[in-house]
Amino acid sequence: MHYPIKTIALAVGISIALSACVGIRPVAPSGTPMSRTSNLALGNPSGAGSNDPNNYLISRPQYVLSFSRDRGLANWVSWVLSPVWKGDARRTNDFRPDLSLPQGWYAAKPSDYTNTGFDRGHLCPSDDRDATPEDNAATFLLSNIVPQAPRHNREVWKNVEEYGRQLMEMGNDVFIIAGASGGGGTGQNGYATSLAGGKLTVPATLWKILVVVPRGTDATFMVTENTRVIAVNIPNTQAAADKPWRAYVTTVDALEQLTGYDFLSNVPTNVQRIIEARIDGGAS
């Protein structure tokens, strides 16, 4: 059937006017639902893969990480904290080299930390993975470990880790990304830039992002502009423990500027703009 052009134009104009009157607005894209069991649910912050030796992806059931051959450390580690991963398995203390690294790469040894004044500090914590002895042992692979000032590790960083588990006990799943940036930290024996004859970088700072998602029966979840996102950036020094962890809260935007990574990339961009600019001090 043929309609005159003027008639079509009039109909379109009336439709636009009616839409404005009733307050119809374009709907923002909701994004793809994210898996509650995926350690990379929020995205791959650095686009890690198999080609770049300083952004090398290692995926395990317990966590996923990006490894830097030149630094001898993980750039970041990503994991899910939920009751599925919690149990009564004992801490294994089985610090050992990660033999899954490509041939020819240096794999840190426990002795690399001996008498250095730095702890073997976890990124994905032992206590976040104690459902089975195998899960716990995976956290002691030295690719998940960084040289950490002892008081930083045992006090202020430990308190951040415990807060994440408190959030889980309050009925949430917590999606976590933690990493180490820069070079040069102050341990028990003073300032150092590297260990193991330069093979392991001592990071200048350790940072962490916690995304708090109320637990549900659905296999997927969505991050909204109301989702709690807690970010911290803590200098790798003994003195860092003189302050509570809340003194180091920051924004995801600030951590992106520090690292060059794109965090929460699986979240719709209109939501990212809101939650990545917000500071959450973890008061509740």
Side-chain angles (χ1 to χ4, degrees):
M1 184 179 295
H2 176 73
Y3 292 100
I5 293 177
K6 289 184 178 179
T7 302
I8 296 174
L10 179 61
V12 170
I14 291 172
S15 175
I16 292 173
L18 287 174
S19 296
C21 290
V22 298
I24 296 175
R25 295 290 184 271
V27 178
S30 61
T32 303
M34 291 164 277
S35 168
R36 285 187 180 272
T37 61
S38 172
N39 289 317
L40 276 184
L42 300 173
N44 182 332
S46 60
S50 58
N51 296 322
D52 184 348
N54 292 314
N55 189 24
Y56 184 77
L57 189 69
I58 298 176
S59 182
R60 298 192 170 95
Q62 297 82 11
Y63 53 81
V64 177
L65 66 84
S66 163
F67 189 82
S68 171
R69 178 194 62 188
D70 292 353
R71 288 170 60 82
L73 309 174
N75 299 309
W76 53 262
V77 181
S78 182
W79 69 99
V80 185
L81 175 58
S82 72
V84 173
W85 292 102
K86 291 296 294 170
D88 56 6
R90 293 183 178 181
R91 180 182 171 98
T92 65
N93 277 326
D94 183 21
F95 291 100
R96 63 200 188 280
D98 186 348
L99 300 181
S100 74
L101 295 174
Q103 187 175 4
W105 290 22
Y106 184 74
K109 307 183 299 294
S111 60
D112 290 334
Y113 289 81
T114 302
N115 298 324
T116 62
F118 289 93
D119 279 1
R120 293 169 292 196
H122 286 74
L123 290 176
C124 177
S126 165
D127 283 355
D128 282 10
R129 291 292 182 263
D130 56 7
T132 68
E134 293 76 17
D135 289 338
N136 190 257
T139 70
F140 288 89
L141 287 164
L142 287 168
S143 55
N144 180 50
I145 303 298
V146 299
Q148 194 170 2
R151 289 193 61 211
H152 185 296
N153 180 36
R154 304 172 197 179
E155 298 178 44
V156 63
W157 190 251
K158 178 183 177 182
N159 291 339
V160 179
E161 294 174 340
E162 289 179 346
Y163 184 69
R165 290 187 283 273
Q166 290 172 19
L167 291 169
M168 183 207 70
E169 291 167 359
M170 292 165 60
N172 301 292
D173 292 334
V174 188
F175 293 80
I176 305 173
I177 308 166
S181 295
T186 304
Q188 197 167 8
N189 300 341
Y191 181 81
T193 58
S194 65
L195 308 181
K199 297 183 179 69
L200 303 181
T201 297
V202 175
T205 183
L206 279 76
W207 50 264
K208 180 174 283 192
I209 299 168
L210 302 92
V211 178
V212 186
V213 179
R215 194 169 306 125
T217 56
D218 293 342
T220 60
F221 69 98
M222 295 294 297
V223 173
T224 73
E225 62 186 41
N226 296 317
T227 298
R228 291 191 66 192
V229 178
I230 302 159
V232 296
N233 186 31
I234 307 178
N236 189 20
T237 66
Q238 293 283 79
D242 292 341
K243 299 178 182 179
W245 71 262
R246 289 178 175 84
Y248 300 102
V249 294
T250 185
T251 66
V252 174
D253 282 340
L255 291 182
E256 288 183 333
Q257 292 179 357
L258 172 71
T259 62
Y261 301 151
D262 181 14
F263 296 113
L264 316 187
S265 59
N266 286 350
V267 175
T269 55
N270 58 318
V271 175
Q272 285 187 57
R273 279 193 294 270
I274 296 170
I275 62 177
E276 291 187 359
R278 190 165 59 214
I279 288 182
D280 187 324
S284 61

